[in-house]
Amino acid sequence: MVYSQEQEVALEKEDSFCVNATAGSGKTTTICSWANFNGDRKMLALAYNRNARENLKKIKNSLGVDNLDCETPHSLAYKTIFKVGEKPDLDFSITSTKIVEYLKLEDLPGMSNSCYAQGRWISTMFQYYLSSTVPNFSGLRPEMFPDFCNNEGFINNFSFLKDSAEDIFRLMKDREIPILHDFYLREYWEGNYPLLYDAILFDEGQDATPIMLDIFLRQDNILKVIVGDEHQQIYSWRHAVNSLESTGLEKLYLTNCFRFNDKVAETANQILKWKNVIGRASSTPDLVGARFVYPDPFPEKYGTAIIARTNMGLLNAGISLIDENHPHMNSIFFEGNFDSYAFNENGDSISDVYNCFLNKRHEIKSNMIKNMRSFNELKEYSEMTNDNSLQVQIDLVEKYKGKLLGLLKTLSKRNAEHRDKAEMIFTTAHRAKGMEYDEVAIVDDFNTIQDLKQKIEQKQMSISRAAEEINLLYVAVTRSRGTLLMKQNMINSLSY
């Protein structure tokens, strides 16, 4: 294995340290190699999610590292909280519709269907609490929820909403309703369990929630290594914090990007310079394209990917290409379960939105959408609650109308069982994180710097949220191993 000079500095470290590593610079390889160089120590590597853990295992095995266990914070918690063979009643999310059902919420006076808005607010508050180190619900404050703190309904009913979020917590605690994965992670954090290792490594540290970071940092008398890329922080909506700035550990940098060439690196650097424009300048060094400078440890083919900002943006791109009879759409692959792309964040299908548009109320399955008196009322609800995924569904329905369901059916038929059999891979920036492809095409649903400036000026978006939007485009662009395709409006925005 040939290492860069920057990597060699990290590999020689004997004390705890932090690595801020740009995309494609071999940060996971670096920490696995560090574990290998310290083979007399028993180590644990924590990855943010399952995909990151599998990538860790792949690199660990390729390097022959045998003193490193790979887990996620959730897998650690699961093994501790539940007995062997126990099958807890789990749910992946708690939607506004479920909360209305669990708490039997009623509309606020004079506000039709406001019970679902309450459900959305309660869900957001509850999930924030699960990820935070706030000791109890009385510690929640309106300013912790910037997306809603300008909404009178949210502010005027904050005390009730907070109590309702605590009611959901009690129901899960008593196992009266399905529990979330972040719920048992919070239980694990509250138990303050020790980790019996000589060293703990945290990969993708910029995505750690406060609870994940605290589990890592509170382990006494253990060497700690945390690596990540501050510009790949894209999970603040899951309440992630940039732990690279929170550890107090000595910081090293990796800037040589083995994945791509100077052209992709320059595009990424131009995007990151947008942060200067919005007042969130960074002191991290520029990326340097180092493809072919060092031997490629993973030279296999990686295919072509279409990368969008959102599920709905990706679905829209797929529908457009099918509608245009694009020649490479005969065999495609949507990362994740294809059927999930037809649903918004609240679990409502695009078919229900379409049937609401047609006023076919008897065919609507979603209780929330069925209770809307008209399509216009559904649109008003999506605006009141800032439900962007529902808004995109509404836009798709209005754009394609009667052609929509047929186009969706065609997409579904052409979706291959495995990505290796597909001509094109469809994915979002969030799902693509940690992945790489020979050719990447960027869908134009990302914000340009002009979009972000306007939203900040009109107080529609905070500077921190705008910085994360920049990170999202940076993540998408840096998935490319060489070829990068962007539409003209995005290219024009780069040199702003």
Side-chain angles (χ1 to χ4, degrees):
M1 184 77 185
V2 179
Y3 299 101
S4 70
Q5 186 175 358
E6 293 173 324
Q7 288 176 306
E8 288 177 350
V9 171
L11 295 176
E12 292 172 359
K13 294 295 296 179
E14 296 181 358
D15 299 321
S16 298
F17 63 98
C18 167
V19 180
N20 195 346
T22 53
S25 60
K27 56 183 178 290
T28 306
T29 298
T30 301
I31 61 170
C32 287
S33 296
W34 185 83
N36 208 21
F37 283 21
N38 292 272
D40 59 330
R41 291 170 170 161
K42 182 182 179 184
M43 299 191 189
L44 170 68
L46 285 176
Y48 172 76
N49 59 23
R50 186 181 301 174
N51 287 340
R53 180 182 64 186
E54 293 309 307
N55 185 50
L56 260 171
K57 287 181 177 180
K58 172 185 174 182
I59 294 175
K60 162 195 153 174
N61 293 336
S62 72
L63 295 172
V65 183
D66 58 10
N67 63 321
L68 184 64
D69 295 335
C70 299
E71 299 283 358
T72 67
H74 289 89
S75 67
L76 273 180
Y78 190 96
K79 293 174 181 178
T80 303
I81 297 299
F82 304 113
K83 298 175 183 177
V84 176
E86 184 178 356
K87 295 182 178 179
D89 189 6
L90 295 172
D91 205 345
F92 285 96
S93 65
I94 184 161
T95 64
S96 61
T97 302
K98 291 174 184 175
I99 286 179
V100 170
E101 175 189 340
Y102 293 150
L103 300 181
K104 298 179 172 55
L105 295 177
E106 297 180 354
D107 289 340
L108 298 170
M111 295 179 65
S112 178
N113 288 307
S114 61
C115 61
Y116 296 104
Q118 293 175 69
R120 181 170 172 80
W121 295 331
I122 293 166
S123 173
T124 300
M125 294 171 69
F126 175 71
Q127 292 181 90
Y128 175 91
Y129 178 76
L130 293 186
S131 300
S132 76
T133 54
V134 175
N136 49 58
F137 281 89
S138 62
L140 297 180
R141 299 286 183 268
E143 57 268 21
M144 295 174 176
F145 309 95
D147 288 345
F148 305 138
C149 64
N150 292 325
N151 187 295
E152 288 187 9
F154 178 76
I155 295 298
N156 294 340
N157 295 278
F158 186 79
S159 180
F160 167 76
L161 297 170
K162 182 170 60 175
D163 291 343
S164 297
E166 189 168 8
D167 289 339
I168 292 293
F169 187 86
R170 289 197 196 97
L171 289 172
M172 287 195 185
K173 191 78 172 175
D174 296 337
R175 303 301 195 254
E176 294 183 29
I177 60 175
I179 65 173
L180 302 186
H181 291 274
D182 281 344
F183 182 88
Y184 66 75
L185 181 60
R186 170 112 191 172
E187 288 187 315
Y188 178 79
W189 172 75
E190 290 176 347
N192 198 18
Y193 299 96
L195 294 173
L196 304 179
Y197 290 90
D198 301 313
I200 306 176
L201 320 178
F202 202 119
D203 196 13
E204 301 291 353
Q206 76 285 338
D207 291 328
T209 63
I211 273 185
M212 290 178 182
L213 181 60
D214 196 57
I215 291 170
F216 172 76
L217 291 178
R218 72 187 179 191
Q219 306 298 324
D220 295 328
N221 303 316
I222 295 177
L223 278 175
K224 300 178 182 70
V225 178
I226 187 165
V227 299
D229 179 356
E230 68 175 77
H231 299 306
Q232 292 193 61
Q233 185 186 10
I234 57 174
Y235 285 106
S236 68
W237 54 282
R238 290 184 181 172
H239 316 299
V241 293
N242 182 10
S243 61
L244 303 176
E245 297 296 329
S246 309
T247 62
L249 301 177
E250 179 187 357
K251 185 181 291 185
L252 306 177
Y253 291 95
L254 298 180
T255 60
N256 288 297
C257 305
F258 309 122
R259 179 181 301 152
F260 44 75
N261 54 32
D262 282 337
K263 187 174 181 180
V264 175
E266 179 55 30
T267 300
N269 287 327
Q270 286 179 295
I271 292 167
L272 294 180
K273 284 180 172 61
W274 292 0
K275 294 186 179 183
N276 298 333
V277 178
I278 65 169
R280 187 57 73 87
S282 170
S283 59
T284 58
D286 283 353
L287 288 73
V288 178
R291 181 102 189 261
F292 306 124
V293 175
Y294 300 91
D296 189 345
F298 306 106
E300 61 262 32
K301 294 293 184 182
Y302 287 80
T304 299
I306 309 291
I307 303 181
R309 175 177 171 270
T310 64
N311 280 359
M312 287 295 112
L314 193 66
L315 191 63
N316 186 22
I319 290 171
S320 296
L321 291 172
I322 285 288
D323 193 37
E324 296 165 5
N325 294 313
H326 191 282
H328 297 302
M329 290 291 289
N330 292 318
S331 179
I332 59 178
F333 182 79
F334 275 73
E335 289 284 4
N337 181 1
F338 172 77
D339 292 338
S340 68
Y341 285 88
F343 292 83
N344 62 31
E345 293 173 1
N346 199 44
D348 303 313
S349 75
I350 197 168
S351 297
D352 283 343
V353 176
Y354 180 64
N355 285 324
C356 181
F357 174 76
L358 297 178
N359 201 29
K360 292 185 176 180
R361 316 203 67 77
H362 61 286
E363 296 187 22
I364 298 174
K365 296 178 181 178
S366 164
N367 289 331
M368 187 272 287
I369 295 178
K370 187 178 291 186
N371 284 330
M372 298 292 167
R373 292 174 296 186
S374 67
F375 188 67
N376 282 336
E377 187 167 282
L378 182 64
K379 292 170 71 173
E380 290 171 2
Y381 166 81
S382 71
E383 293 168 3
M384 178 179 68
T385 58
N386 295 321
D387 193 335
N388 293 324
S389 61
L390 176 58
Q391 288 171 8
V392 175
Q393 285 181 321
I394 290 169
D395 291 342
L396 285 173
V397 166
E398 290 184 319
K399 178 179 179 180
Y400 290 103
K401 299 182 175 66
K403 295 171 62 177
L404 180 61
L405 297 187
L407 291 169
L408 284 171
K409 187 176 291 186
T410 303
L411 269 183
S412 179
K413 285 181 179 178
R414 297 185 186 180
N415 193 56
E417 292 183 4
H418 195 273
R419 66 163 66 108
D420 292 343
K421 299 180 180 179
E423 294 177 274
M424 285 201 292
I425 297 166
F426 285 76
T427 186
T428 63
H430 287 100
R431 281 190 170 97
K433 196 160 173 291
M435 305 294 287
E436 51 189 86
Y437 307 93
D438 295 315
E439 181 177 87
V440 167
I442 304 295
V443 176
D444 62 351
D445 66 336
F446 291 87
N447 284 288
T448 65
I449 185 58
Q450 292 89 348
D451 296 332
L452 297 174
K453 277 195 66 182
Q454 182 178 16
K455 289 176 181 178
I456 291 171
E457 289 168 359
Q458 296 177 355
K459 297 184 178 180
Q460 297 174 345
M461 182 180 288
S462 67
I463 290 176
S464 60
R465 183 62 61 86
E468 182 155 323
E469 289 293 326
I470 294 170
N471 291 349
L472 204 59
L473 180 57
Y474 162 82
V475 167
V477 164
T478 55
R479 299 312 93 195
S480 172
R481 290 169 59 86
T483 302
L484 179 64
L485 305 174
M486 301 175 72
K487 289 194 175 180
Q488 193 61 45
N489 68 314
M490 296 300 301
I491 295 173
N492 294 340
S493 184
L494 290 178
S495 57
Y496 182 84

PDB file of all heavy atoms in Angstrom, residues 270-282:
ATOM      1  N   GLN A 270     -14.696  25.324  -6.411  1.00  0.00           N
ATOM      2  CA  GLN A 270     -15.548  26.458  -6.771  1.00  0.00           C
ATOM      3  C   GLN A 270     -16.847  26.436  -5.967  1.00  0.00           C
ATOM      4  O   GLN A 270     -17.323  27.483  -5.509  1.00  0.00           O
ATOM      5  CB  GLN A 270     -15.847  26.435  -8.272  1.00  0.00           C
ATOM      6  CG  GLN A 270     -14.677  26.849  -9.141  1.00  0.00           C
ATOM      7  CD  GLN A 270     -15.038  26.785 -10.617  1.00  0.00           C
ATOM      8  OE1 GLN A 270     -15.303  25.709 -11.162  1.00  0.00           O
ATOM      9  NE2 GLN A 270     -15.055  27.933 -11.269  1.00  0.00           N
ATOM     10  N   ILE A 271     -17.404  25.253  -5.810  1.00  0.00           N
ATOM     11  CA  ILE A 271     -18.649  25.129  -5.033  1.00  0.00           C
ATOM     12  C   ILE A 271     -18.408  25.528  -3.581  1.00  0.00           C
ATOM     13  O   ILE A 271     -19.201  26.260  -2.980  1.00  0.00           O
ATOM     14  CB  ILE A 271     -19.194  23.697  -5.138  1.00  0.00           C
ATOM     15  CG1 ILE A 271     -19.682  23.410  -6.563  1.00  0.00           C
ATOM     16  CG2 ILE A 271     -20.334  23.466  -4.132  1.00  0.00           C
ATOM     17  CD1 ILE A 271     -19.943  21.953  -6.848  1.00  0.00           C
ATOM     18  N   LEU A 272     -17.303  25.060  -2.999  1.00  0.00           N
ATOM     19  CA  LEU A 272     -17.011  25.373  -1.601  1.00  0.00           C
ATOM     20  C   LEU A 272     -16.746  26.861  -1.392  1.00  0.00           C
ATOM     21  O   LEU A 272     -16.983  27.389  -0.295  1.00  0.00           O
ATOM     22  CB  LEU A 272     -15.821  24.551  -1.108  1.00  0.00           C
ATOM     23  CG  LEU A 272     -16.058  23.036  -1.029  1.00  0.00           C
ATOM     24  CD1 LEU A 272     -14.802  22.328  -0.533  1.00  0.00           C
ATOM     25  CD2 LEU A 272     -17.246  22.708  -0.134  1.00  0.00           C
ATOM     26  N   LYS A 273     -16.293  27.561  -2.433  1.00  0.00           N
ATOM     27  CA  LYS A 273     -16.076  29.007  -2.315  1.00  0.00           C
ATOM     28  C   LYS A 273     -17.395  29.766  -2.175  1.00  0.00           C
ATOM     29  O   LYS A 273     -17.397  30.944  -1.782  1.00  0.00           O
ATOM     30  CB  LYS A 273     -15.273  29.522  -3.514  1.00  0.00           C
ATOM     31  CG  LYS A 273     -13.777  29.175  -3.419  1.00  0.00           C
ATOM     32  CD  LYS A 273     -12.993  29.702  -4.612  1.00  0.00           C
ATOM     33  CE  LYS A 273     -11.489  29.524  -4.417  1.00  0.00           C
ATOM     34  NZ  LYS A 273     -11.080  28.132  -4.275  1.00  0.00           N
ATOM     35  N   TRP A 274     -18.508  29.121  -2.501  1.00  0.00           N
ATOM     36  CA  TRP A 274     -19.816  29.763  -2.274  1.00  0.00           C
ATOM     37  C   TRP A 274     -19.993  30.107  -0.791  1.00  0.00           C
ATOM     38  O   TRP A 274     -20.727  31.036  -0.451  1.00  0.00           O
ATOM     39  CB  TRP A 274     -20.945  28.839  -2.705  1.00  0.00           C
ATOM     40  CG  TRP A 274     -21.045  28.583  -4.173  1.00  0.00           C
ATOM     41  CD1 TRP A 274     -20.236  29.075  -5.162  1.00  0.00           C
ATOM     42  CD2 TRP A 274     -22.006  27.753  -4.825  1.00  0.00           C
ATOM     43  NE1 TRP A 274     -20.645  28.597  -6.388  1.00  0.00           N
ATOM     44  CE2 TRP A 274     -21.713  27.791  -6.214  1.00  0.00           C
ATOM     45  CE3 TRP A 274     -23.064  26.978  -4.385  1.00  0.00           C
ATOM     46  CZ2 TRP A 274     -22.480  27.077  -7.147  1.00  0.00           C
ATOM     47  CZ3 TRP A 274     -23.824  26.262  -5.307  1.00  0.00           C
ATOM     48  CH2 TRP A 274     -23.532  26.318  -6.672  1.00  0.00           C
ATOM     49  N   LYS A 275     -19.328  29.351   0.073  1.00  0.00           N
ATOM     50  CA  LYS A 275     -19.477  29.617   1.509  1.00  0.00           C
ATOM     51  C   LYS A 275     -18.946  30.996   1.882  1.00  0.00           C
ATOM     52  O   LYS A 275     -19.436  31.621   2.828  1.00  0.00           O
ATOM     53  CB  LYS A 275     -18.779  28.521   2.326  1.00  0.00           C
ATOM     54  CG  LYS A 275     -19.442  27.162   2.182  1.00  0.00           C
ATOM     55  CD  LYS A 275     -18.840  26.113   3.109  1.00  0.00           C
ATOM     56  CE  LYS A 275     -19.561  24.776   2.951  1.00  0.00           C
ATOM     57  NZ  LYS A 275     -19.053  23.743   3.873  1.00  0.00           N
ATOM     58  N   ASN A 276     -17.956  31.485   1.124  1.00  0.00           N
ATOM     59  CA  ASN A 276     -17.478  32.851   1.349  1.00  0.00           C
ATOM     60  C   ASN A 276     -18.587  33.867   1.060  1.00  0.00           C
ATOM     61  O   ASN A 276     -18.729  34.877   1.754  1.00  0.00           O
ATOM     62  CB  ASN A 276     -16.273  33.151   0.454  1.00  0.00           C
ATOM     63  CG  ASN A 276     -15.086  32.253   0.742  1.00  0.00           C
ATOM     64  OD1 ASN A 276     -14.933  31.758   1.851  1.00  0.00           O
ATOM     65  ND2 ASN A 276     -14.245  32.039  -0.248  1.00  0.00           N
ATOM     66  N   VAL A 277     -19.381  33.573   0.033  1.00  0.00           N
ATOM     67  CA  VAL A 277     -20.442  34.493  -0.394  1.00  0.00           C
ATOM     68  C   VAL A 277     -21.533  34.605   0.661  1.00  0.00           C
ATOM     69  O   VAL A 277     -22.092  35.677   0.887  1.00  0.00           O
ATOM     70  CB  VAL A 277     -21.041  34.029  -1.747  1.00  0.00           C
ATOM     71  CG1 VAL A 277     -22.174  34.944  -2.185  1.00  0.00           C
ATOM     72  CG2 VAL A 277     -19.959  33.968  -2.816  1.00  0.00           C
ATOM     73  N   ILE A 278     -21.842  33.494   1.339  1.00  0.00           N
ATOM     74  CA  ILE A 278     -22.931  33.524   2.333  1.00  0.00           C
ATOM     75  C   ILE A 278     -22.422  33.811   3.745  1.00  0.00           C
ATOM     76  O   ILE A 278     -23.199  33.773   4.701  1.00  0.00           O
ATOM     77  CB  ILE A 278     -23.733  32.199   2.325  1.00  0.00           C
ATOM     78  CG1 ILE A 278     -22.849  31.027   2.788  1.00  0.00           C
ATOM     79  CG2 ILE A 278     -24.333  31.933   0.941  1.00  0.00           C
ATOM     80  CD1 ILE A 278     -23.627  29.751   3.054  1.00  0.00           C
ATOM     81  N   GLY A 279     -21.122  34.064   3.880  1.00  0.00           N
ATOM     82  CA  GLY A 279     -20.590  34.394   5.199  1.00  0.00           C
ATOM     83  C   GLY A 279     -20.253  33.207   6.069  1.00  0.00           C
ATOM     84  O   GLY A 279     -20.266  33.294   7.292  1.00  0.00           O
ATOM     85  N   ARG A 280     -19.928  32.082   5.442  1.00  0.00           N
ATOM     86  CA  ARG A 280     -19.548  30.886   6.192  1.00  0.00           C
ATOM     87  C   ARG A 280     -18.216  30.358   5.637  1.00  0.00           C
ATOM     88  O   ARG A 280     -18.115  29.210   5.217  1.00  0.00           O
ATOM     89  CB  ARG A 280     -20.669  29.845   6.078  1.00  0.00           C
ATOM     90  CG  ARG A 280     -20.495  28.604   6.945  1.00  0.00           C
ATOM     91  CD  ARG A 280     -20.354  28.902   8.405  1.00  0.00           C
ATOM     92  NE  ARG A 280     -21.580  29.320   9.022  1.00  0.00           N
ATOM     93  CZ  ARG A 280     -22.496  28.505   9.536  1.00  0.00           C
ATOM     94  NH1 ARG A 280     -22.299  27.207   9.514  1.00  0.00           N
ATOM     95  NH2 ARG A 280     -23.589  28.998  10.098  1.00  0.00           N
ATOM     96  N   ALA A 281     -17.212  31.235   5.610  1.00  0.00           N
ATOM     97  CA  ALA A 281     -15.906  30.867   5.056  1.00  0.00           C
ATOM     98  C   ALA A 281     -15.264  29.750   5.873  1.00  0.00           C
ATOM     99  O   ALA A 281     -15.450  29.657   7.080  1.00  0.00           O
ATOM    100  CB  ALA A 281     -14.992  32.084   5.012  1.00  0.00           C
ATOM    101  N   SER A 282     -14.485  28.909   5.179  1.00  0.00           N
ATOM    102  CA  SER A 282     -13.811  27.784   5.827  1.00  0.00           C
ATOM    103  C   SER A 282     -12.300  27.947   5.694  1.00  0.00           C
ATOM    104  O   SER A 282     -11.806  28.496   4.704  1.00  0.00           O
ATOM    105  CB  SER A 282     -14.241  26.464   5.189  1.00  0.00           C
ATOM    106  OG  SER A 282     -13.445  25.394   5.645  1.00  0.00           O
TER     107      SER A 282
END
